[in-house]
Amino acid sequence: MSTAYVVMAVIVVFAWLGVVRVPQGYEFTLEWFGRYVRTLTPGLNFIIPFAHNVGKRINMMEQVLDVPRQEVITRDNAVVAVDGVVFYQVLDAPKAAYEVSTLEIAILNLVMTNIRTVLGSMDLDESLSKRDVINAQLLKVVDEATHPWGLKCNRIEIKDITPPRDLVESMARQMKAERDKRASILEAEGSRQSAILRADGEKQAAVLEAEGRKEAAFRDAEARERSAEAEAKATMMVSQAIAKGDLQAINYFVADKYVSAIQALATAPNQKVLLMPMELTGILGSLAGVAELARASFEDRAAPPKPRPPKPFEEQRNG
């Protein structure tokens, strides 16, 4: 009876030791006396106790690994402090377990080395402005290097690139100088454009003023021409009246010249005192002659035309 209990106890122990529970998101490697045999997937797995043993417990979920801060020298000999983060996932548990020792340390060393390589091939300005290029180069190199380990690097991100304090101050001064330069250029461009617009406006104003003077000169010339025509016509009429023996026309001519002479004396710039002659009766008589001449001209225009005398009989017959 005691032997049966012992056998029963041994069977229970073997059954308990022969069942391995693998949680979700993990895979275990199974070894036969220290040699890899197969991989245990999530759930219940049966093994042979004492002959089989669980080797490595591999996390198959995506993992995040912080890259510690390190100093890197760029191509232009600037020293910057860089840190980052790596997102990776194990795709092949046996390779991750047996192809590399201390997987996380290997990934960290690989990423840190390639960060120094990539940033060392760039200038400081490129390293500060081309984060995407740095991340893409690092991801390509590290993913190819970790593929034999059964890994997949999904992303590598540079978290921070910190230049030295004196370099940051120098960059700030340079940026301020660039902004002042752009402001000066914009101000000069504005002044230049303003001067161009002002000159264009003055040009248009000068053109319009010249056109106005031209039009005014044309009008003045036309007015002088008409005045000369009127004066010539008046002189001709006076000459015809004088030829007919009309003394009033002579009075008009003399009065006109007399008044013009007095006007010229009165408007002279150096004339201060104007002495008028005492013989104003002559002027009045001349003006009266002008009035009589004008009245006679109007009466001649209003009178009907005189009939022409008939021709003699002999002239009519000869005609």
Side-chain angles (χ1 to χ4, degrees):
M1 191 68 174
S2 60
T3 304
Y5 285 130
V6 171
V7 172
M8 184 69 67
V10 171
I11 293 174
V12 171
V13 171
F14 266 75
W16 176 259
L17 294 177
V19 177
V20 177
R21 184 179 63 86
V22 180
Q24 183 68 36
Y26 285 82
E27 289 185 359
F28 295 169
T29 60
L30 185 64
E31 299 175 353
W32 175 268
F33 294 108
R35 183 175 63 85
Y36 170 75
V37 178
R38 63 187 177 91
T39 301
L40 303 180
T41 58
L44 292 178
N45 296 269
F46 297 97
I47 63 174
I48 300 174
F50 303 109
H52 288 157
N53 66 295
V54 176
K56 301 289 185 180
R57 291 173 171 81
I58 305 300
N59 187 351
M60 304 299 293
M61 295 178 288
E62 185 174 10
Q63 302 177 61
V64 181
L65 190 61
D66 287 329
V67 180
R69 181 179 293 271
Q70 62 175 334
E71 291 186 350
V72 179
I73 300 176
T74 60
R75 186 170 58 186
D76 52 353
N77 297 325
V79 179
V80 295
V82 185
D83 59 355
V85 60
V86 182
F87 297 86
Y88 72 95
Q89 186 176 8
V90 177
L91 301 180
D92 193 340
K95 289 184 178 180
Y98 301 108
E99 293 294 335
V100 63
S101 177
T102 58
L103 180 63
E104 292 186 355
I105 296 177
I107 295 174
L108 282 178
N109 289 329
L110 182 63
V111 172
M112 293 175 67
T113 302
N114 283 278
I115 286 176
R116 288 194 294 268
T117 302
V118 173
L119 290 180
S121 63
M122 292 184 174
D123 295 333
L124 177 61
D125 294 337
E126 293 179 347
S127 63
L128 293 176
S129 61
K130 296 183 178 180
R131 295 279 187 98
D132 295 338
V133 176
I134 298 173
N135 295 335
Q137 292 182 3
L138 287 175
L139 180 61
K140 180 180 178 181
V141 174
V142 174
D143 188 42
E144 291 178 357
T146 57
H147 182 71
W149 302 343
L151 302 181
K152 173 64 177 176
C153 287
N154 296 324
R155 296 181 66 183
I156 298 179
E157 297 288 340
I158 298 297
K159 291 195 298 184
D160 192 16
I161 301 177
T162 306
R165 183 180 298 276
D166 56 347
L167 191 58
V168 172
E169 295 176 354
S170 176
M171 292 170 61
R173 290 193 300 270
Q174 180 182 0
M175 181 167 43
K176 184 177 182 299
E178 287 292 333
R179 290 180 178 176
D180 293 340
K181 177 182 176 181
R182 288 197 296 268
S184 301
I185 292 174
L186 292 176
E187 184 178 359
E189 286 291 335
S191 301
R192 175 175 174 270
Q193 190 67 21
S194 176
I196 291 174
L197 293 177
R198 189 181 301 109
D200 191 14
E202 293 176 355
K203 176 183 175 182
Q204 294 293 333
V207 170
L208 293 176
E209 184 179 358
E211 290 180 355
R213 289 197 302 269
K214 177 182 177 182
E215 184 68 21
F218 177 76
R219 298 294 183 185
D220 292 340
E222 186 178 3
R224 287 194 301 269
E225 181 181 359
R226 291 183 179 179
S227 177
E229 289 179 357
E231 186 176 357
K233 188 175 180 180
T235 304
M236 183 183 65
M237 292 176 64
V238 171
S239 299
Q240 291 177 357
I242 293 172
K244 293 179 182 180
D246 192 355
L247 297 178
Q248 294 178 357
I250 297 175
N251 292 333
Y252 165 77
F253 187 77
V254 172
D256 181 63
K257 297 300 181 180
Y258 195 85
V259 172
S260 299
I262 294 176
Q263 182 180 2
L265 289 174
T267 56
N270 56 355
Q271 183 66 35
K272 303 301 181 180
V273 179
L274 181 62
L275 300 176
M276 297 297 296
M278 299 299 295
E279 291 83 0
L280 295 178
T281 56
I283 300 175
L284 294 177
S286 299
L287 294 178
V290 173
E292 290 294 334
L293 181 60
R295 185 171 59 83
S297 177
F298 286 129
E299 288 178 355
D300 290 340
R301 290 183 182 179
K306 296 180 180 180
R308 297 177 60 184
K311 294 182 179 180
F313 176 75
E314 293 181 358
E315 292 180 359
Q316 289 179 3
R317 187 177 60 181
N318 294 332

PDB file of all heavy atoms in Angstrom, residues 21 49 66 82 112 114 127 129 137 144 146 180 202 240 275-276 292 305 313:
ATOM      1  N   ARG A  21       3.995  26.456 -18.308  1.00  0.00           N
ATOM      2  CA  ARG A  21       3.033  27.491 -18.720  1.00  0.00           C
ATOM      3  C   ARG A  21       3.806  28.718 -19.212  1.00  0.00           C
ATOM      4  O   ARG A  21       4.590  29.302 -18.469  1.00  0.00           O
ATOM      5  CB  ARG A  21       2.129  27.861 -17.553  1.00  0.00           C
ATOM      6  CG  ARG A  21       1.020  28.866 -17.915  1.00  0.00           C
ATOM      7  CD  ARG A  21       0.166  29.139 -16.691  1.00  0.00           C
ATOM      8  NE  ARG A  21       0.942  29.758 -15.634  1.00  0.00           N
ATOM      9  CZ  ARG A  21       1.159  31.084 -15.536  1.00  0.00           C
ATOM     10  NH1 ARG A  21       0.651  31.901 -16.444  1.00  0.00           N
ATOM     11  NH2 ARG A  21       1.864  31.550 -14.539  1.00  0.00           N
ATOM     12  N   PRO A  49      10.444  15.783 -17.836  1.00  0.00           N
ATOM     13  CA  PRO A  49      11.200  16.297 -16.682  1.00  0.00           C
ATOM     14  C   PRO A  49      12.606  15.714 -16.625  1.00  0.00           C
ATOM     15  O   PRO A  49      12.864  14.599 -17.073  1.00  0.00           O
ATOM     16  CB  PRO A  49      10.359  15.844 -15.484  1.00  0.00           C
ATOM     17  CG  PRO A  49       9.005  15.610 -16.044  1.00  0.00           C
ATOM     18  CD  PRO A  49       9.219  15.077 -17.444  1.00  0.00           C
ATOM     19  N   ASP A  66      16.481  53.062 -23.699  1.00  0.00           N
ATOM     20  CA  ASP A  66      17.047  54.405 -23.646  1.00  0.00           C
ATOM     21  C   ASP A  66      18.536  54.357 -23.940  1.00  0.00           C
ATOM     22  O   ASP A  66      19.280  53.555 -23.336  1.00  0.00           O
ATOM     23  CB  ASP A  66      16.819  55.045 -22.279  1.00  0.00           C
ATOM     24  CG  ASP A  66      15.370  55.464 -22.075  1.00  0.00           C
ATOM     25  OD1 ASP A  66      14.721  55.809 -23.082  1.00  0.00           O
ATOM     26  OD2 ASP A  66      14.894  55.406 -20.931  1.00  0.00           O
ATOM     27  N   VAL A  82      24.678  63.958 -26.966  1.00  0.00           N
ATOM     28  CA  VAL A  82      23.562  63.349 -27.683  1.00  0.00           C
ATOM     29  C   VAL A  82      23.023  62.184 -26.877  1.00  0.00           C
ATOM     30  O   VAL A  82      23.783  61.404 -26.296  1.00  0.00           O
ATOM     31  CB  VAL A  82      24.007  62.848 -29.085  1.00  0.00           C
ATOM     32  CG1 VAL A  82      22.809  62.334 -29.864  1.00  0.00           C
ATOM     33  CG2 VAL A  82      24.716  63.939 -29.850  1.00  0.00           C
ATOM     34  N   MET A 112      25.035  53.440 -30.005  1.00  0.00           N
ATOM     35  CA  MET A 112      25.920  54.531 -29.605  1.00  0.00           C
ATOM     36  C   MET A 112      27.086  54.675 -30.581  1.00  0.00           C
ATOM     37  O   MET A 112      27.491  55.792 -30.921  1.00  0.00           O
ATOM     38  CB  MET A 112      26.442  54.286 -28.185  1.00  0.00           C
ATOM     39  CG  MET A 112      25.363  54.353 -27.115  1.00  0.00           C
ATOM     40  SD  MET A 112      25.950  53.917 -25.464  1.00  0.00           S
ATOM     41  CE  MET A 112      27.051  55.281 -25.131  1.00  0.00           C
ATOM     42  N   ASN A 114      27.085  53.886 -33.793  1.00  0.00           N
ATOM     43  CA  ASN A 114      26.597  54.449 -35.063  1.00  0.00           C
ATOM     44  C   ASN A 114      26.160  55.899 -34.914  1.00  0.00           C
ATOM     45  O   ASN A 114      26.220  56.658 -35.886  1.00  0.00           O
ATOM     46  CB  ASN A 114      25.437  53.601 -35.592  1.00  0.00           C
ATOM     47  CG  ASN A 114      25.916  52.311 -36.226  1.00  0.00           C
ATOM     48  OD1 ASN A 114      26.319  52.282 -37.387  1.00  0.00           O
ATOM     49  ND2 ASN A 114      25.871  51.232 -35.458  1.00  0.00           N
ATOM     50  N   SER A 127      23.718  68.652 -38.171  1.00  0.00           N
ATOM     51  CA  SER A 127      23.280  67.777 -37.084  1.00  0.00           C
ATOM     52  C   SER A 127      22.125  68.369 -36.289  1.00  0.00           C
ATOM     53  O   SER A 127      21.295  67.631 -35.755  1.00  0.00           O
ATOM     54  CB  SER A 127      24.454  67.472 -36.158  1.00  0.00           C
ATOM     55  OG  SER A 127      24.928  68.665 -35.543  1.00  0.00           O
ATOM     56  N   SER A 129      19.834  70.500 -37.611  1.00  0.00           N
ATOM     57  CA  SER A 129      18.664  70.754 -38.460  1.00  0.00           C
ATOM     58  C   SER A 129      18.154  69.525 -39.203  1.00  0.00           C
ATOM     59  O   SER A 129      17.058  69.557 -39.755  1.00  0.00           O
ATOM     60  CB  SER A 129      18.992  71.848 -39.486  1.00  0.00           C
ATOM     61  OG  SER A 129      20.061  71.445 -40.325  1.00  0.00           O
ATOM     62  N   GLN A 137      19.309  57.218 -41.134  1.00  0.00           N
ATOM     63  CA  GLN A 137      20.590  56.528 -41.303  1.00  0.00           C
ATOM     64  C   GLN A 137      20.861  55.549 -40.155  1.00  0.00           C
ATOM     65  O   GLN A 137      21.313  54.414 -40.379  1.00  0.00           O
ATOM     66  CB  GLN A 137      21.714  57.556 -41.407  1.00  0.00           C
ATOM     67  CG  GLN A 137      21.674  58.396 -42.679  1.00  0.00           C
ATOM     68  CD  GLN A 137      22.839  59.365 -42.762  1.00  0.00           C
ATOM     69  OE1 GLN A 137      23.714  59.374 -41.897  1.00  0.00           O
ATOM     70  NE2 GLN A 137      22.859  60.181 -43.806  1.00  0.00           N
ATOM     71  N   GLU A 144      20.038  46.520 -40.095  1.00  0.00           N
ATOM     72  CA  GLU A 144      20.818  45.525 -40.835  1.00  0.00           C
ATOM     73  C   GLU A 144      21.769  44.763 -39.905  1.00  0.00           C
ATOM     74  O   GLU A 144      21.981  43.541 -40.073  1.00  0.00           O
ATOM     75  CB  GLU A 144      21.613  46.203 -41.942  1.00  0.00           C
ATOM     76  CG  GLU A 144      20.743  46.744 -43.072  1.00  0.00           C
ATOM     77  CD  GLU A 144      21.573  47.453 -44.134  1.00  0.00           C
ATOM     78  OE1 GLU A 144      22.815  47.557 -43.935  1.00  0.00           O
ATOM     79  OE2 GLU A 144      21.006  47.894 -45.146  1.00  0.00           O
ATOM     80  N   THR A 146      21.399  44.148 -36.649  1.00  0.00           N
ATOM     81  CA  THR A 146      20.711  43.293 -35.666  1.00  0.00           C
ATOM     82  C   THR A 146      19.840  42.222 -36.311  1.00  0.00           C
ATOM     83  O   THR A 146      19.244  41.422 -35.580  1.00  0.00           O
ATOM     84  CB  THR A 146      19.829  44.177 -34.757  1.00  0.00           C
ATOM     85  OG1 THR A 146      18.913  44.919 -35.570  1.00  0.00           O
ATOM     86  CG2 THR A 146      20.667  45.120 -33.935  1.00  0.00           C
ATOM     87  N   ASP A 180      19.621  90.983 -37.960  1.00  0.00           N
ATOM     88  CA  ASP A 180      19.890  92.402 -38.195  1.00  0.00           C
ATOM     89  C   ASP A 180      20.237  92.660 -39.665  1.00  0.00           C
ATOM     90  O   ASP A 180      19.818  93.664 -40.252  1.00  0.00           O
ATOM     91  CB  ASP A 180      21.042  92.870 -37.299  1.00  0.00           C
ATOM     92  CG  ASP A 180      20.662  92.839 -35.826  1.00  0.00           C
ATOM     93  OD1 ASP A 180      19.456  92.836 -35.523  1.00  0.00           O
ATOM     94  OD2 ASP A 180      21.582  92.807 -34.977  1.00  0.00           O
ATOM     95  N   GLU A 202       7.304 112.097 -59.304  1.00  0.00           N
ATOM     96  CA  GLU A 202       7.810 113.407 -59.739  1.00  0.00           C
ATOM     97  C   GLU A 202       7.913 113.475 -61.259  1.00  0.00           C
ATOM     98  O   GLU A 202       7.644 114.523 -61.867  1.00  0.00           O
ATOM     99  CB  GLU A 202       9.175 113.658 -59.095  1.00  0.00           C
ATOM    100  CG  GLU A 202       9.105 113.834 -57.582  1.00  0.00           C
ATOM    101  CD  GLU A 202      10.478 113.993 -56.972  1.00  0.00           C
ATOM    102  OE1 GLU A 202      11.469 113.859 -57.732  1.00  0.00           O
ATOM    103  OE2 GLU A 202      10.575 114.238 -55.749  1.00  0.00           O
ATOM    104  N   GLN A 240      -9.406 152.774 -93.857  1.00  0.00           N
ATOM    105  CA  GLN A 240     -10.447 153.025 -94.859  1.00  0.00           C
ATOM    106  C   GLN A 240     -11.245 154.278 -94.528  1.00  0.00           C
ATOM    107  O   GLN A 240     -11.578 155.098 -95.404  1.00  0.00           O
ATOM    108  CB  GLN A 240     -11.379 151.818 -94.954  1.00  0.00           C
ATOM    109  CG  GLN A 240     -10.723 150.577 -95.552  1.00  0.00           C
ATOM    110  CD  GLN A 240     -11.651 149.385 -95.552  1.00  0.00           C
ATOM    111  OE1 GLN A 240     -12.780 149.483 -95.042  1.00  0.00           O
ATOM    112  NE2 GLN A 240     -11.183 148.270 -96.107  1.00  0.00           N
ATOM    113  N   LEU A 275       2.211 161.499 -63.556  1.00  0.00           N
ATOM    114  CA  LEU A 275       1.714 162.864 -63.786  1.00  0.00           C
ATOM    115  C   LEU A 275       0.778 162.850 -64.983  1.00  0.00           C
ATOM    116  O   LEU A 275       1.175 162.493 -66.093  1.00  0.00           O
ATOM    117  CB  LEU A 275       2.893 163.821 -64.037  1.00  0.00           C
ATOM    118  CG  LEU A 275       3.912 163.939 -62.884  1.00  0.00           C
ATOM    119  CD1 LEU A 275       5.064 164.846 -63.308  1.00  0.00           C
ATOM    120  CD2 LEU A 275       3.235 164.467 -61.638  1.00  0.00           C
ATOM    121  N   MET A 276      -0.476 163.193 -64.736  1.00  0.00           N
ATOM    122  CA  MET A 276      -1.479 163.208 -65.798  1.00  0.00           C
ATOM    123  C   MET A 276      -1.464 164.585 -66.449  1.00  0.00           C
ATOM    124  O   MET A 276      -1.350 165.617 -65.789  1.00  0.00           O
ATOM    125  CB  MET A 276      -2.868 162.917 -65.227  1.00  0.00           C
ATOM    126  CG  MET A 276      -2.979 161.528 -64.600  1.00  0.00           C
ATOM    127  SD  MET A 276      -2.741 160.219 -65.800  1.00  0.00           S
ATOM    128  CE  MET A 276      -4.160 160.534 -66.849  1.00  0.00           C
ATOM    129  N   GLU A 292     -18.662 158.343 -81.912  1.00  0.00           N
ATOM    130  CA  GLU A 292     -19.329 158.709 -83.172  1.00  0.00           C
ATOM    131  C   GLU A 292     -18.992 157.724 -84.262  1.00  0.00           C
ATOM    132  O   GLU A 292     -19.841 157.335 -85.067  1.00  0.00           O
ATOM    133  CB  GLU A 292     -18.896 160.125 -83.578  1.00  0.00           C
ATOM    134  CG  GLU A 292     -19.448 161.227 -82.678  1.00  0.00           C
ATOM    135  CD  GLU A 292     -20.976 161.319 -82.814  1.00  0.00           C
ATOM    136  OE1 GLU A 292     -21.503 160.940 -83.879  1.00  0.00           O
ATOM    137  OE2 GLU A 292     -21.626 161.740 -81.832  1.00  0.00           O
ATOM    138  N   PRO A 305     -29.576 148.530 -98.259  1.00  0.00           N
ATOM    139  CA  PRO A 305     -28.681 148.836 -99.374  1.00  0.00           C
ATOM    140  C   PRO A 305     -29.351 149.730-100.393  1.00  0.00           C
ATOM    141  O   PRO A 305     -30.546 149.633-100.639  1.00  0.00           O
ATOM    142  CB  PRO A 305     -28.364 147.450 -99.936  1.00  0.00           C
ATOM    143  CG  PRO A 305     -29.509 146.594 -99.542  1.00  0.00           C
ATOM    144  CD  PRO A 305     -29.975 147.117 -98.210  1.00  0.00           C
ATOM    145  N   PHE A 313     -29.388 153.550-122.108  1.00  0.00           N
ATOM    146  CA  PHE A 313     -29.996 152.694-123.145  1.00  0.00           C
ATOM    147  C   PHE A 313     -28.960 152.168-124.072  1.00  0.00           C
ATOM    148  O   PHE A 313     -28.993 150.994-124.468  1.00  0.00           O
ATOM    149  CB  PHE A 313     -31.079 153.520-123.891  1.00  0.00           C
ATOM    150  CG  PHE A 313     -31.686 152.740-125.047  1.00  0.00           C
ATOM    151  CD1 PHE A 313     -32.601 151.695-124.776  1.00  0.00           C
ATOM    152  CD2 PHE A 313     -31.355 153.002-126.357  1.00  0.00           C
ATOM    153  CE1 PHE A 313     -33.137 151.000-125.827  1.00  0.00           C
ATOM    154  CE2 PHE A 313     -31.892 152.309-127.381  1.00  0.00           C
ATOM    155  CZ  PHE A 313     -32.807 151.292-127.136  1.00  0.00           C
TER     156      PHE A 313
END
